[in-house]
Amino acid sequence: MCAHCTTYLYAELPLEPSLSRTLIEANEYGCLSQALTVAAMLSAETNLLPGRSKNNEKKRKYPPLELPDGSGFGDHIQLLQIYECWDENDYDIGWCKDYDLQMDLSVISRSTLDFLDALMTECL
């Protein structure tokens, strides 16, 4: 990608510069879809993982379900795995509730993902 196109993308993408660079490089490495998902999840600016307060655990009728753990590759991979699980469950808000995930995040991250995908498609 030429320097002019790269500069244009940095200016157009509503992301931290490091995330913009990640998307540009992900496109070159053939993993843009996964990078877009992680960028969307990170840009939602809200805590994805459920809180583990003692009050919540006492109120539960069932033990908490296990979320993906990132397979030892870190938080970004965990975010990707969680999004992919939600995708496999047809973006069901009930799935988010079952895992005590914030529902507003699921909507924000999906719309952000669609926006970033359209923007990257337009720019590339």
Side-chain angles (χ1 to χ4, degrees):
M1 179 180 294
C2 71
H4 173 69
C5 294
T6 302
T7 303
Y8 174 75
L9 271 177
Y10 277 121
E12 288 297 313
L13 290 172
L15 299 170
E16 295 282 331
S18 62
L19 282 177
S20 296
R21 181 179 174 147
T22 298
L23 295 182
I24 291 166
E25 291 190 19
N27 183 59
E28 294 172 12
Y29 286 104
C31 56
L32 181 59
S33 175
Q34 293 86 355
L36 282 167
T37 299
V38 172
M41 297 292 275
L42 291 172
S43 67
E45 297 181 11
T46 184
N47 185 16
L48 173 67
L49 299 178
R52 296 286 183 213
S53 71
K54 292 180 181 178
N55 292 339
N56 284 346
E57 290 181 11
K58 288 179 183 175
K59 292 179 185 177
R60 290 180 197 261
K61 294 180 183 177
Y62 309 103
L65 299 171
E66 293 295 319
L67 286 168
D69 63 2
S71 303
F73 292 106
D75 294 344
H76 294 96
I77 299 301
Q78 183 180 26
L79 290 173
L80 178 62
Q81 290 174 336
I82 290 171
Y83 188 90
E84 288 173 346
C85 286
W86 184 49
D87 176 34
E88 290 170 8
N89 286 279
D90 297 321
Y91 304 107
D92 181 20
I93 297 299
W95 183 87
C96 294
K97 287 181 182 179
D98 289 345
Y99 285 88
D100 286 339
L101 300 175
Q102 297 177 9
M103 292 181 2
D104 60 337
L105 172 72
S106 61
V107 174
I108 291 168
S109 60
R110 186 161 182 216
S111 62
T112 304
L113 177 60
D114 292 342
F115 171 74
L116 291 174
D117 186 33
L119 188 57
M120 287 296 291
T121 302
E122 176 186 316
C123 294
L124 300 174

